[in-house]
Amino acid sequence: MTAKELIQAGKAVLGIEFGSTRIKAVLIDQEHKPIAQGSHEWENQLIDGLWTYSIEAIWKGVQDCYADLRKNVWEQYETEIESLGAIGISAMMHGYLPFKGNEILVPFRTWRNTNTGKAAAELSKLFVYNIPLRWSISHLYQAILNGEPHVKEIDYLTTLAGYIHWQITGKKVLGVGDASGMIPVDPQTKNYDAAMVEKFNKLVEPYGFSWKLEDILPKVLVAGDNAGFLTAEGASKLDVSGHLKAGIPVCPPEGDAGTGMTATNAVKQRTGNVSAGTSSFSMIVLEKELSKPNEMIDMVTTPDGSLVAMVHCNNCTSDLNAWVGLFRQYQELLGIPVDMNEVFGKLYNNALSGDPDCGGLISYNYFSGEPVTGLAEGRPLFVRSANDKFNLANFMRAHLYASVAVLKLGNDVLFKEEQVKVDRITGHGGLFKTKGVGQRVLAAALNSPISVMETAGEGGAYGMALLADFAINNSKGLNLADYLDSVVFKGVEGVEIAPTSEDVEGFNQYLDNYKACLPIERLSVSCKK
């Protein structure tokens, strides 16, 4: 079928992902190639000291994103989307969405919040397992410690992906990868760790809540499981034009980590991927458990339940993008037409001509707190001394290095301390859109070859579409890793860049300077303005 015929037959597959700064929809064909897309730009809000998106913004955003997809389909194929082969919903992982009935009890608390330190520390000790600040269980227990009255009313707790899925299908379920960031999952049972659930229930028993933890969490599903169908109400929530019909299969909702692994064919053991956009994270699929818990390493799972070591960094390209925006404004002042792809391309490629150690320049890209380096808050900060080599190439290179510096610190634990082995690391996300640049920077940081596929810029929405496709088209009964290998990515070769010794040495020198000057960042955070 042509793309138009496929859409008219209702066989195209849709993935939607709620990212931190953009909601994106990707429509794929039977050969797993993107044939249309839509997007909506949005930003979180800092309200009462907590990062949030309103329920109104969530629905306005996805409706605008879907309308943009419809527009893109019409412009290319002069046809409407009436039905689809399958739909998948993914979103930024974890955070806190507690409900009583259909009513959210407090504004959505996103992954970006770092107010859960006491809860995370106590739970990590109780479980003998690293519990990150952003996980749902940390938010829940912190709300209990804070004496927040809404906790006693909770009858359902979910993630953003789980919430959207529930609203469009009526099903209170969650993909295992996203579920593993609510409370740890047992890789053997592919369900919440029963011992930890019991420990938590005993911990909060004195508070006298009417609920048990297992009663308020979504049901855990693995990739390929039946997760329900689009309801008539759900269809109208996505497509306000009324063209989209009910009855479409909707696969288990996932977090952006799982969709990143899927989009980069990094679900098998000894494979890994790095997603780099507003935030960044690396995912290495493990052959065995780590020797001990480490606060820099989050343990999650693939969408089919295999154990994954995740290094999550709250900050990646936001500060870099802000500086590029400054150069755009300068270009506009000169009266020169602005093509942002060209601006990014020129600045990024010019950075490669800079000194390998950035001439001594340092950037801290901390728009928000960064748990890996122990900062509860952030201040974007550029640091240089009078003797440093201050030029445009070094300036941009320093900001590119900063976008993966914290990621490097976490991965050193895996590769140097835990001796984790990996055969292939693939990059995807906005940092890799300018061909070869982000890839070379990451290769230097991790001292490892980095592959990027043609779909690298499509990101998690593409990965979610692949998971939706797996749920309906896996006629051979393959596991997810084999399906990706032998069906989706068969014959697809990524472009690999290996690190040079000069780049690796330069990045390490930059990182030494970065670590030595971290007290400057900490001091800037302590200075309230």
Side-chain angles (χ1 to χ4, degrees):
M1 288 186 181
T2 64
K4 180 176 181 176
E5 291 168 341
L6 193 74
I7 294 167
Q8 290 175 332
K11 292 185 177 180
V13 174
L14 174 62
I16 299 175
E17 181 159 284
F18 290 74
S20 301
T21 59
R22 183 170 61 157
I23 303 170
K24 185 171 181 179
V26 171
L27 203 62
I28 63 171
D29 64 15
Q30 290 172 311
E31 295 180 346
H32 311 102
K33 294 178 181 176
I35 55 174
Q37 60 182 323
S39 66
H40 169 80
E41 305 292 326
W42 70 339
E43 285 289 347
N44 51 192
Q45 304 294 316
L46 187 63
I47 298 176
D48 296 329
L50 293 171
W51 293 103
T52 187
Y53 301 85
S54 69
I55 294 296
E56 293 74 21
I58 289 169
W59 289 110
K60 179 182 182 300
V62 73
Q63 289 164 3
D64 186 56
C65 175
Y66 188 86
D68 194 45
L69 173 71
R70 284 183 56 238
K71 178 184 176 185
N72 187 248
V73 166
W74 184 262
E75 288 174 347
Q76 291 190 81
Y77 312 112
E78 292 189 349
T79 192
E80 273 286 357
I81 304 171
E82 301 286 348
S83 188
L84 294 160
I87 299 172
I89 301 293
S90 64
M92 58 191 104
M93 288 177 72
H94 318 141
Y96 186 65
L97 288 101
F99 289 88
K100 180 180 182 181
N102 275 311
E103 180 186 354
I104 192 165
L105 295 171
V106 294
F108 170 32
R109 297 174 183 175
T110 78
W111 59 270
R112 201 169 200 171
N113 291 295
T114 54
N115 63 309
T116 56
K118 181 175 174 58
E122 289 188 14
L123 292 174
S124 296
K125 185 177 180 180
L126 177 69
F127 296 154
V128 195
Y129 203 93
N130 180 42
I131 304 298
L133 302 179
R134 69 186 183 283
W135 281 15
S136 303
I137 197 70
S138 296
H139 284 279
L140 174 61
Y141 189 47
Q142 190 65 55
I144 293 170
L145 293 176
N146 293 346
E148 297 186 41
H150 78 271
V151 175
K152 65 180 182 295
E153 299 184 65
I154 297 173
D155 61 28
Y156 186 45
L157 178 64
T158 189
T159 65
L160 180 55
Y163 167 65
I164 300 296
H165 183 94
W166 167 39
Q167 292 296 300
I168 67 172
T169 67
K171 301 294 185 182
K172 294 181 175 181
V173 300
L174 200 59
V176 64
D178 206 5
S180 67
M182 296 198 77
I183 187 169
V185 160
D186 182 342
Q188 302 304 315
T189 65
K190 314 288 195 240
N191 204 345
Y192 303 112
D193 188 291
M196 295 186 195
V197 170
E198 185 178 356
K199 284 182 178 180
F200 184 84
N201 284 334
K202 286 183 178 178
L203 176 67
V204 302
E205 193 172 8
Y207 292 92
F209 300 128
S210 61
W211 50 261
K212 298 285 189 183
L213 184 59
E214 60 269 30
D215 298 329
I216 64 172
L217 293 177
K219 179 182 178 182
V220 180
L221 301 177
V222 297
D225 281 350
N226 184 335
F229 299 87
L230 186 69
T231 62
E233 182 183 4
S236 66
K237 280 179 174 285
L238 292 180
D239 180 15
V240 295
S241 75
H243 284 89
L244 190 64
K245 303 295 189 293
I248 299 166
V250 186
C251 73
E254 265 299 346
D256 49 3
T259 59
M261 286 184 276
T262 305
T264 55
N265 191 20
V267 173
K268 277 190 173 177
Q269 292 180 357
R270 292 176 64 108
T271 64
N273 82 93
V274 170
S275 174
T278 305
S279 63
S280 69
F281 48 82
S282 64
M283 312 288 293
I284 307 297
V285 188
L286 300 177
E287 297 176 279
K288 60 181 181 179
E289 293 264 8
L290 299 181
S291 64
K292 60 183 183 297
N294 189 296
E295 62 182 10
M296 289 189 185
I297 311 298
D298 306 346
M299 303 304 294
V300 292
T301 78
T302 63
D304 58 352
S306 294
L307 199 61
V308 176
M310 178 182 192
V311 177
H312 183 278
C313 310
N314 279 2
N315 303 280
C316 185
T317 59
S318 292
D319 192 39
L320 178 59
N321 292 342
W323 282 106
V324 173
L326 204 64
F327 290 110
R328 178 200 67 204
Q329 292 172 33
Y330 174 69
Q331 194 166 325
E332 289 171 341
L333 277 177
L334 296 178
I336 302 171
V338 175
D339 178 339
M340 286 309 294
N341 288 329
E342 183 182 18
V343 173
F344 273 102
K346 293 283 189 185
L347 290 171
Y348 275 32
N349 280 291
N350 182 245
L352 297 183
S353 67
D355 295 309
D357 66 349
C358 306
L361 310 182
I362 310 169
S363 170
Y364 296 99
N365 60 342
Y366 297 177
F367 261 54
S368 64
E370 192 57 79
V372 173
T373 47
L375 283 153
E377 293 183 51
R379 299 282 187 278
L381 189 66
F382 178 69
V383 179
R384 69 184 179 107
S385 66
N387 295 324
D388 290 336
K389 298 177 183 176
F390 185 53
N391 56 49
L392 182 59
N394 283 341
F395 178 81
M396 288 306 301
R397 191 165 184 140
H399 283 89
L400 283 164
Y401 276 17
S403 67
V404 296
V406 178
L407 197 69
K408 159 73 169 175
L409 294 173
N411 277 278
D412 277 353
V413 173
L414 288 177
F415 299 137
K416 293 181 179 179
E417 295 181 23
E418 291 284 347
Q419 298 295 304
V420 167
K421 304 299 181 186
V422 62
D423 298 325
R424 183 184 77 243
I425 298 177
T426 307
H428 79 118
L431 184 66
F432 304 104
K433 278 191 174 181
T434 300
K435 190 175 180 180
V437 179
Q439 199 174 352
R440 181 171 156 184
V441 167
L442 184 62
L446 299 186
N447 193 16
S448 170
I450 304 295
S451 296
V452 170
M453 298 178 180
E454 286 185 13
T455 51
E458 302 297 342
Y462 174 66
M464 195 65 236
L466 295 181
L467 288 172
D469 173 82
F470 175 70
I472 62 165
N473 288 325
N474 184 21
S475 58
K476 295 180 180 178
L478 300 173
N479 63 39
L480 179 61
D482 288 342
Y483 185 79
L484 294 174
D485 256 353
S486 63
V487 179
V488 176
F489 294 106
K490 185 179 181 180
V492 176
E493 296 293 332
V495 176
E496 184 177 275
I497 290 182
T500 66
S501 57
E502 184 182 31
D503 280 351
V504 171
E505 184 179 342
F507 193 96
N508 287 338
Q509 181 59 56
Y510 174 89
L511 198 67
D512 286 343
N513 294 336
Y514 184 98
K515 290 188 285 188
C517 292
L518 265 172
I520 303 174
E521 172 68 19
R522 293 194 177 98
L523 181 61
S524 72
V525 168
S526 70
C527 298
K528 303 291 183 182
K529 65 174 184 177

